[in-house]
Amino acid sequence: MDIPVFILAGLLVHCVFLVSIFDIYFSSPLVHGMTPQQTPLPPPAKRLVLFVADGLRADSLYELDSNGTARAPYLRSILENNGSWGISHTRVPTESRPGHVALIAGFYEDVSAVAKGWKENPVEFDSVFNESKYTWSWGSPDILPMFAKGATGDRVYTFCYAAESEDFGAEDAAKLDMWVFDHVKSFFNSSRSNQTLFSALNEEKVVLFLHLLGIDTNGHAHRPNSREYQENIKQVDEGVKEIASLINNFYGNDGKTAFILTSDHGMTDWGSHGAGHPSETLTPLIVWGAGVNYPQKVTTQIFEDNFLKGALLFLAEWKLENLKRLDVNQADIAPLMASLIGVPFPLNSVGTLPLEYLNTSALFKAESMFTNAVQILEQFKVKMSQKKETTLSILFTPFKPLSASEQINYLKKIRLYIEQQKYDEAISLCKTLINLALEGLSYYHTYDRLFLGLSIAVSFVGWTTYVILVIIKAHTNLTKTVPANKKKSTVLFYGFASAGMIITFFLLIQTCPWTYYIYCLLPVPVWYAVVKEIPVIQDLATNVLSLHLGQSAGFLLVCILGIEILVFSFFYRSALTVGLLVFAGWPVITQLWIQAKTKALIWTLLCVLLAIFPLMPVVGREPNIPLVTAAGLLTILISLFSLTSLCKRENKYSDNEDLKVYFYQMFSVALSTYVVGSTHNSLKIKQGLPVMNQIISWMTLVFSPVLLLLSPTFLFERLLSILLSLMSTYLLLSTGYEALFPLALFGLMFVWINMEQEALQHYGLSLKPKLAVFNFTCTMDITQFRQLHLDDVRRSFFFVFFIVTAFFGTGNIASINSFDPASVYCFLTVFSPFMMGGLLLLKVAIPFVLVSCAFEAVQVTTQLSSKSLFLIVLVISDIMALHFFFLVKDYGSWLDIGTSISHYVLVMSLTIFMMVMNGLAQLLTTRRLELPRRNKHHSM
């Protein structure tokens, strides 16, 4: 296969592998075409007021201050005297968008939907707002528009502040909540002089939604244990009290208003959310007003959440152990709201109505529960019919616990129990039916998963086998050229073509989606390419059998162990520490230390130093700016020492032009060090991000690569320039110990380049070139490239290991879902998820660039063909990817889901990323911008 054709085929195959997980694991579970279901009895409330305090933790609201007083006195008095309270258990991702979808639409948004959009509906769904007569909402432009856009008719109205108001560096984020309360007050005041609005407000089935973002913003900026976060809770409490009083007075205290206060998600002690820690998933729920139960006295109660010191102790600390705590799942709040105001349950809701919150007749509770069960059963029936239509009747396996006859039996029994006034039995049977319908929904949603997963796995194995054969055939001396047998080739071709036609026909008669054709047909050409190389496989087997069996088995075992350590390191960063400590002993194991004692000693020390970083915590730490300052000063000291030794060794800088570039870069590093300290001090005293610091930060980001391209292209000088250029940007994105990581990594990379020269000489593969005078711009003759040696597999493995260390050395790439915004404060403080995410990805990529540039040096100085190297890395990454394909999760905490996706995507992207980084490394090492220089006149 030609190189361009091979690269194109490789890209296409990997794109299919990459996209397949989203089709297999993360297709949207939503179905359409259900009939709306509504309780046939008059509801207890005419209107509903929903307060969502974004980012409010359950313990932060319920716990008492150090002096024993309630942090939110009004809400405390409500749950003690007027309403019901509990914990709402959110699911992951614990982010604002999916949290609000669960609250208002009643279903847990799948990952594919979250990935498609932030502020608008990526998939059409129904909500309580859409079913209401009118909904008025006030709050963040990130949340409100998504519920207005999908609503039918002119019924959902939004009032948002400007996006720029969401500033983490602002003096006080509580002003966002004050804005909401002030606008609600002026809205009701203006309605008295606006007859149309006044009439609309007096209709039934009205919803008022107040989204309060201040607590979340203060939590990110100052942490949940801060004075700012706790003061904001008090201000929200005051605001809720005023709004509740205003609304009751507006409606003449008619007792027909229901109030709900809850949160979309909590927050960790270090000010992040997105994962599945109890501090993020346990949120408060307080309900009061029309149709809501009063507080229920109890003597004992048991819970399983064991948040922090245990639920019982917690209740005692909150002084709430004698008031019944009614826990719900977050999606249960949507049917509760629908039931209270008598609107149809949202069509895609999977929530179960929490009856203990209702203060209504037993008949109303039973009828509402029956409506809930029928509404979820409707989704099951639509999902089942969709799957039945796209599967051959002889192959279709129905969900037996809910066959058509079973469904009718359940519905008849429940209706009979209600008519006989056996309400408890009816409710119990409704709950059983709901659980079965939800199980059935999941069953049909994952119906094709095994079949598609096996197709991709077979393709994976075939592709990896083919790449190994290409390496052996083209880049080693293990096999000899075998003439092709045309007759056998023709039989093979028609055999595989027939298999492809049978698969196509099979998919066609089942009317499968077009993506199924790609996943199921991909193994055919891949395995055809493998089987075509049977003579090569036979020749290889003969050669391998002639080798020493113990050595072959030992080499294979080491390869498997190495790849398993790499896979393990994605889950436990400490595995990187183990790997680096093994690397530290590499010179001793291979006897390299005998010929290069000093280099071997430095290599060992730097491996041990770098091994410390994966043991450091990822999150949960406070910013440590003195460490960032220390990293900046250390960078400057190393640069000065390096330049001094260079000047002593050779008189290269007689014209001072090259020296100036380094001094400019060192000045940029010093400036970045100052900006980090200055910015964090300014934010600490609540003066915001200084404009000059912001300008310097962005200018450093733009101009540091330009300065790099002005430096000499000799190996040592260019690598030093790359370090200085990348460090000036990396420092601006650092908040603690991670600022020291690129320095330790660069040191090890530089020693690695030297050690590879020793290894080359040790195995007698090449003469040792002089690195001091090696120039990146000197193009290498293609005839100088050598065949692969067994040691090159180790070299490639080192590269992959260092790439993984660059990614996970100071954190987890998946933590972009819950990163600390303090990392980007030198560039911006106004909430902008994509800009902040982009800067964080740049921070993750900088160590990667360092490794890629070092490997470019290794590759060129060891006379290694980049194609052969690329193929070895391709095999390593594909074997790792196959591991992660089977480890992908679509359940559990968002951290688990996000981590499993990012691991798979990361390894799948490694090959594409390596090609991009290889190109970037070549640009950074070989290109030089020449500035016009003044001519010097020498006297004769």
Side-chain angles (χ1 to χ4, degrees):
M1 196 184 280
D2 295 336
I3 293 174
V5 177
F6 180 82
I7 290 171
L8 187 64
L11 281 172
L12 285 171
V13 166
H14 281 83
C15 284
V16 172
F17 290 163
L18 187 58
V19 172
S20 67
I21 62 156
F22 295 100
D23 237 359
I24 296 169
Y25 290 96
F26 301 111
S27 55
S28 177
L30 298 190
V31 287
H32 300 286
M34 290 81 67
T35 309
Q37 302 295 322
Q38 189 173 350
T39 308
L41 297 171
K46 286 185 176 180
R47 66 202 73 89
L48 175 89
V49 185
L50 174 64
F51 300 96
V52 177
D54 204 304
L56 177 60
R57 286 164 51 147
D59 59 317
S60 296
L61 179 68
Y62 293 139
E63 71 186 4
L64 304 175
D65 278 337
S66 53
N67 57 6
T69 58
R71 191 165 289 154
Y74 174 71
L75 291 169
R76 182 79 178 197
S77 70
I78 289 290
L79 69 88
E80 286 179 349
N81 306 305
N82 304 97
S84 294
W85 76 286
I87 301 285
S88 167
H89 294 260
T90 73
R91 270 203 209 170
V92 287
T94 46
E95 302 285 356
S96 292
R97 180 201 160 82
H100 281 86
V101 169
L103 282 171
I104 297 160
F107 71 92
Y108 301 104
E109 200 167 27
D110 66 289
V111 180
S112 66
V114 181
K116 288 175 191 170
W118 188 260
K119 299 179 186 180
E120 295 181 354
N121 293 353
V123 286
E124 286 302 316
F125 62 82
D126 192 22
S127 70
V128 173
F129 295 176
N130 188 46
E131 297 291 356
S132 69
K133 185 74 182 278
Y134 295 108
T135 293
W136 287 276
S137 56
W138 296 264
S140 166
D142 294 333
I143 297 300
L144 305 189
M146 70 174 171
F147 293 103
K149 191 184 178 195
T152 52
D154 194 17
R155 66 178 73 189
V156 180
Y157 302 94
T158 61
F159 305 93
C160 306
Y161 40 73
E164 293 74 33
S165 303
E166 298 172 22
D167 188 349
F168 295 138
E171 195 171 319
D172 189 9
K175 65 182 182 185
L176 300 174
D177 300 338
M178 296 305 108
W179 185 97
V180 170
F181 294 135
D182 291 343
H183 277 72
V184 173
K185 289 172 193 171
S186 61
F187 172 79
F188 274 96
N189 289 335
S190 66
S191 71
R192 297 185 188 279
S193 55
N194 182 335
Q195 191 54 48
T196 309
L197 179 58
F198 187 82
S199 301
L201 279 168
N202 279 282
E203 293 275 4
E204 293 184 353
K205 301 175 183 176
V206 164
V207 177
L208 303 166
F209 171 42
L210 284 72
H211 176 242
L212 309 167
L213 187 65
I215 292 173
D216 182 71
T217 310
N218 267 323
H220 283 308
H222 307 288
R223 311 290 187 261
N225 294 319
S226 65
R227 183 184 56 81
E228 290 83 358
Y229 184 89
Q230 293 172 5
E231 280 295 320
N232 203 156
I233 293 172
K234 287 181 180 174
Q235 288 168 296
V236 163
D237 183 65
E238 276 296 316
V240 169
K241 181 182 178 181
E242 288 175 21
I243 297 300
S245 174
L246 170 80
I247 290 170
N248 283 330
N249 289 337
F250 181 85
Y251 289 108
N253 292 303
D254 64 353
K256 289 290 180 181
T257 309
F259 297 90
I260 294 179
L261 179 132
T262 187
S263 175
D264 53 348
H265 55 76
M267 190 171 285
T268 60
D269 289 341
W270 50 90
S272 73
H273 54 81
H277 190 271
S279 60
E280 298 162 273
T281 60
L282 302 186
T283 58
L285 175 63
I286 301 175
V287 189
W288 71 101
V292 180
N293 246 338
Y294 288 101
Q296 299 168 56
K297 301 285 183 185
V298 288
T299 51
T300 57
Q301 42 187 338
I302 298 169
F303 295 96
E304 294 176 1
D305 45 63
N306 291 325
F307 178 26
L308 298 181
K309 298 172 189 172
L312 290 176
L313 182 59
F314 228 8
L315 289 173
E317 282 183 2
W318 297 344
K319 299 283 189 284
L320 292 171
E321 66 272 24
N322 295 322
L323 289 173
K324 192 168 186 182
R325 176 180 137 182
L326 307 170
D327 283 18
V328 300
N329 290 319
Q330 195 171 39
D332 299 344
I333 295 171
L336 176 63
M337 293 193 287
S339 183
L340 283 169
I341 56 171
V343 298
F345 286 35
L347 292 173
N348 298 110
S349 170
V350 293
T352 305
L353 178 64
L355 293 175
E356 287 185 292
Y357 276 89
L358 293 178
N359 182 17
T360 56
S361 66
L363 173 63
F364 183 85
K365 287 180 181 178
E367 285 288 1
S368 296
M369 207 68 200
F370 183 59
T371 305
N372 194 178
V374 172
Q375 168 258 324
I376 293 174
L377 187 63
E378 280 284 315
Q379 294 179 69
F380 167 81
K381 285 156 79 174
V382 171
K383 193 82 175 174
M384 183 181 71
S385 64
Q386 283 179 357
K387 191 48 63 185
K388 209 170 183 178
E389 284 168 19
T390 59
T391 310
L392 284 172
S393 55
I394 53 167
L395 296 174
F396 181 70
T397 312
F399 182 67
K400 287 176 184 173
L402 267 188
S403 60
S405 58
E406 282 295 322
Q407 290 175 37
I408 294 164
N409 283 342
Y410 272 111
L411 296 175
K412 277 184 176 176
K413 264 188 188 176
I414 295 165
R415 180 47 64 198
L416 186 65
Y417 280 143
I418 292 173
E419 285 169 4
Q420 293 173 348
Q421 297 184 7
K422 293 179 180 177
Y423 301 125
D424 290 342
E425 288 90 336
I427 288 165
S428 176
L429 208 54
C430 284
K431 287 179 180 176
T432 305
L433 181 57
I434 286 171
N435 290 333
L436 283 173
L438 291 174
E439 276 179 43
L441 271 172
S442 176
Y443 172 80
Y444 287 120
H445 183 58
T446 59
Y447 193 83
D448 295 329
R449 184 170 293 179
L450 181 66
F451 160 63
L452 293 175
L454 282 172
S455 294
I456 294 295
V458 169
S459 301
F460 248 122
V461 174
W463 172 256
T464 309
T465 308
Y466 178 67
V467 175
I468 292 169
L469 289 172
V470 170
I471 294 169
I472 289 164
K473 195 177 170 185
H475 298 282
T476 68
N477 300 318
L478 287 172
T479 59
K480 56 181 184 286
T481 309
V482 183
N485 186 323
K486 284 188 177 179
K487 192 178 177 184
K488 278 186 179 178
S489 298
T490 309
V491 171
L492 268 179
F493 176 77
Y494 284 115
F496 275 92
S498 303
M501 288 171 72
I502 291 164
I503 293 167
T504 307
F505 176 73
F506 180 74
L507 294 170
L508 202 63
I509 57 175
Q510 294 195 92
T511 58
C512 290
W514 64 271
T515 49
Y516 281 36
Y517 289 84
I518 296 171
Y519 304 144
C520 297
L521 288 171
L522 185 61
V524 177
V526 169
W527 277 100
Y528 171 64
V530 173
V531 176
K532 256 176 74 176
E533 303 293 344
I534 277 181
V536 177
I537 297 167
Q538 289 169 339
D539 194 23
L540 177 66
T542 310
N543 280 337
V544 169
L545 288 171
S546 65
L547 295 172
H548 189 271
L549 192 65
Q551 280 185 333
S552 303
F555 176 71
L556 195 64
L557 193 67
V558 168
C559 288
I560 292 167
L561 190 66
I563 289 171
E564 290 305 318
I565 285 175
L566 279 174
V567 170
F568 206 68
S569 69
F570 277 64
F571 299 97
Y572 304 98
R573 290 166 58 231
S574 54
L576 291 173
T577 301
V578 175
L580 285 164
L581 292 176
V582 173
F583 281 13
W586 168 55
V588 179
I589 297 163
T590 57
Q591 305 289 303
L592 274 176
W593 68 278
I594 296 168
Q595 69 189 62
K597 285 187 172 64
T598 310
K599 287 176 186 173
L601 182 64
I602 297 169
W603 164 269
T604 302
L605 289 173
L606 285 169
C607 279
V608 172
L609 178 65
L610 198 65
I612 295 167
F613 285 92
L615 299 175
M616 303 287 276
V618 184
V619 285
R621 62 183 191 274
E622 287 291 321
N624 193 335
I625 304 306
L627 277 178
V628 181
T629 309
L633 295 174
L634 196 57
T635 307
I636 295 166
L637 282 173
I638 290 168
S639 310
L640 285 170
F641 175 76
S642 305
L643 288 175
T644 308
S645 63
L646 266 175
C647 290
K648 281 179 184 175
R649 194 171 62 202
E650 290 180 46
N651 189 19
K652 287 184 184 176
Y653 302 109
S654 54
D655 61 357
N656 288 331
E657 290 296 328
D658 292 338
L659 207 55
K660 279 181 185 174
V661 173
Y662 291 113
F663 282 122
Y664 288 142
Q665 287 187 302
M666 286 157 67
F667 176 71
S668 177
V669 170
L671 202 58
S672 294
T673 308
Y674 165 75
V675 166
V676 171
S678 165
T679 301
H680 282 269
N681 282 336
S682 177
L683 292 173
K684 208 172 185 179
I685 56 174
K686 297 186 179 176
Q687 289 186 353
L689 169 59
V691 178
M692 185 52 69
N693 287 11
Q694 193 173 19
I695 292 167
I696 292 169
S697 298
W698 285 106
M699 284 180 71
T700 302
L701 183 66
V702 173
F703 290 111
S704 57
V706 179
L707 279 174
L708 153 62
L709 295 174
L710 293 171
S711 65
T713 54
F714 288 98
L715 185 138
F716 179 75
E717 287 91 321
R718 180 48 70 96
L719 288 177
L720 176 63
S721 185
I722 288 167
L723 173 72
L724 287 170
S725 182
L726 296 176
M727 274 303 287
S728 57
T729 303
Y730 197 83
L731 287 168
L732 293 169
L733 293 164
S734 298
T735 60
Y737 77 87
E738 79 271 23
L740 296 162
F741 179 69
L743 284 176
L745 185 66
F746 174 79
L748 187 61
M749 292 299 96
F750 185 70
V751 179
W752 182 39
I753 295 164
N754 285 275
M755 288 297 289
E756 288 297 355
Q757 301 311 307
E758 300 294 341
L760 215 60
Q761 196 180 22
H762 180 73
Y763 290 107
L765 296 175
S766 170
L767 291 172
K768 186 176 163 187
K770 284 188 176 179
L771 290 181
V773 292
F774 189 88
N775 196 320
F776 277 116
T777 52
C778 297
T779 52
M780 187 173 280
D781 183 7
I782 194 81
T783 57
Q784 288 186 311
F785 287 140
R786 56 184 174 79
Q787 291 284 61
L788 283 172
H789 181 263
L790 214 53
D791 195 46
D792 293 321
V793 177
R794 189 266 315 154
R795 207 166 268 125
S796 301
F797 177 77
F798 270 31
F799 172 56
V800 178
F801 189 91
F802 287 137
I803 285 292
V804 173
T805 305
F807 267 113
F808 298 109
T810 60
N812 187 332
I813 187 76
S815 67
I816 193 166
N817 302 310
S818 54
F819 75 97
D820 185 356
S823 295
V824 298
Y825 282 173
C826 290
F827 293 90
L828 74 163
T829 54
V830 175
F831 181 64
S832 173
F834 297 111
M835 184 71 79
M836 288 176 163
L839 287 167
L840 192 79
L841 282 176
L842 174 66
K843 181 181 178 180
V844 169
I846 284 172
F848 199 150
V849 176
L850 277 175
V851 175
S852 298
C853 290
F855 198 58
E856 175 70 14
V858 168
Q859 185 183 300
V860 176
T861 56
T862 56
Q863 300 169 327
L864 209 58
S865 158
S866 57
K867 187 198 169 193
S868 58
L869 180 86
F870 171 69
L871 292 174
I872 297 171
V873 173
L874 190 67
V875 170
I876 294 170
S877 61
D878 279 349
I879 294 169
M880 289 167 66
L882 190 57
H883 277 77
F884 292 121
F885 178 77
F886 290 110
L887 293 171
V888 170
K889 289 183 177 181
D890 63 343
Y891 59 88
S893 80
W894 172 238
L895 194 64
D896 291 343
I897 296 169
T899 302
S900 71
I901 297 170
S902 66
H903 286 171
Y904 181 72
V905 170
L906 185 61
V907 178
M908 285 309 305
S909 309
L910 192 62
T911 46
I912 302 163
F913 215 42
M914 200 191 87
M915 290 165 74
V916 173
M917 282 296 163
N918 193 39
L920 181 63
Q922 282 181 4
L923 173 76
L924 294 179
T925 52
T926 59
R927 293 281 174 263
R928 187 176 185 186
L929 298 175
E930 293 289 348
L931 294 179
R933 301 190 180 199
R934 289 174 297 178
N935 290 323
K936 291 193 176 182
H937 300 284
H938 299 277
S939 55
M940 298 298 287

